[in-house]
Amino acid sequence: MTEFERKRLAERSKDGLAIYTAVKRAMDVAGSLCGIALLSPVLASVALLIKLDDPKAPILFGQTRIGKNGVPFRMYKFRSMIPDAEKKLGDLLAKNEIQGAMFKMKDDPRITRIGKVLRKSSLDELPQLFNVLRGEMSLVGPRPPLPREVEQYTEYDKLRLTVASGCTGLWQVNGRNELSFEQMVELDLQYIRQRSIRGDLKIIFRTFKLLLGAKNAY
């Protein structure tokens, strides 16, 4: 057992963690169902705009991500890039603006016109509510990494994979793309050590506030 796990278990009893896990899952199901129902007009409108922008390209973008305990799953987003974006990634890796096992580029040439708006407002993330409903993700937790990113992880970095991935988390509400990979990992591990229903609700509330004036999403 790592020092990290010893500290986590010392701070939270097994019974307390089990109760938290059960309540968190109930909150995920209720939250994702309500979100899908209330945002259905937005989902339909975004889908229509993407289709009008490029009638021959798909509306959704599915990508393999790594979830809890290293289990891969298919994560869905509204397509914000050109259809062959994955094939062109290799040509852009040298322009990565974040150090570590993660790729971010502010002026990524693969992003479409409508995609820039979707990313700025984080509307491209809405289909992940279905991932939450299916139990592959949670509303709150570390962002799910790509397989190629996990290949570069140290054993310490892999500790962020000990809980379910989330749609939002401490990284998103504390700087997002302005932070380094190492800072993201530390925030994720802080969340895992201190996670609680109250903490999850605070992160969700802060996420809504940021979405009203997001400046760090790209």
Side-chain angles (χ1 to χ4, degrees):
M1 182 182 294
T2 65
E3 182 62 29
F4 174 88
E5 284 297 303
R6 280 195 292 270
K7 184 174 182 180
R8 182 180 69 84
L9 291 175
E11 294 174 348
R12 178 71 61 78
S13 70
K14 290 184 178 180
D15 289 341
L17 189 59
I19 293 173
Y20 163 76
T21 301
V23 175
K24 181 178 176 68
R25 179 55 189 158
M27 188 170 70
D28 284 342
V29 172
S32 58
L33 283 174
C34 289
I36 292 169
L38 293 174
L39 296 172
S40 55
V42 178
L43 292 166
S45 298
V46 171
L48 179 60
L49 289 173
I50 295 173
K51 181 54 67 174
L52 290 175
D53 186 61
D54 189 345
K56 296 183 180 180
I59 294 172
L60 294 177
F61 171 68
Q63 190 177 50
T64 298
R65 296 291 182 116
I66 304 300
K68 182 178 180 180
N69 298 325
V71 177
F73 69 97
R74 196 74 171 167
M75 188 186 81
Y76 291 96
K77 303 173 68 172
F78 279 124
R79 184 179 61 80
S80 61
M81 290 187 172
I82 56 177
D84 59 346
E86 291 291 282
K87 295 180 181 179
K88 296 186 177 182
L89 177 60
D91 298 331
L92 300 173
L93 289 176
K95 299 180 181 179
N96 190 9
E97 297 174 7
I98 294 183
Q99 293 184 346
M102 185 167 55
F103 178 82
K104 287 291 180 180
M105 184 178 176
K106 188 172 184 178
D107 295 316
D108 195 323
R110 302 172 299 162
I111 300 176
T112 64
R113 291 177 300 170
I114 184 64
K116 292 180 180 179
V117 177
L118 296 179
R119 287 184 166 224
K120 191 70 176 178
S121 59
S122 295
L123 289 174
D124 61 319
E125 310 279 1
L126 289 181
Q128 289 164 41
L129 289 172
F130 292 96
N131 287 116
V132 174
L133 187 59
R134 292 164 55 173
E136 297 161 334
M137 293 179 63
S138 176
L139 292 175
V140 182
R143 287 298 295 163
L146 292 162
R148 62 173 176 79
E149 294 172 342
V150 176
E151 289 177 359
Q152 303 176 51
Y153 275 17
T154 64
E155 290 302 310
Y156 184 74
D157 297 335
K158 290 179 181 178
L159 290 173
R160 67 186 299 272
L161 303 176
T162 57
V163 299
S165 303
C167 296
T168 187
L170 282 181
W171 174 67
Q172 285 88 336
V173 300
N174 283 283
R176 196 170 178 170
N177 294 320
E178 293 180 351
L179 303 178
S180 68
F181 172 74
E182 288 77 14
Q183 289 173 313
M184 181 193 73
V185 171
E186 291 305 321
L187 284 171
D188 286 339
L189 299 190
Q190 177 184 328
Y191 167 76
I192 294 171
R193 285 192 295 266
Q194 302 174 355
R195 62 194 188 276
S196 66
I197 296 301
R198 181 181 179 183
D200 283 3
L201 291 173
K202 287 177 64 176
I203 291 173
I204 291 172
F205 178 72
R206 290 177 64 184
T207 300
F208 282 133
K209 288 181 63 178
L210 287 174
L211 289 179
L212 297 177
K215 296 181 179 180
N216 300 319
Y218 54 83

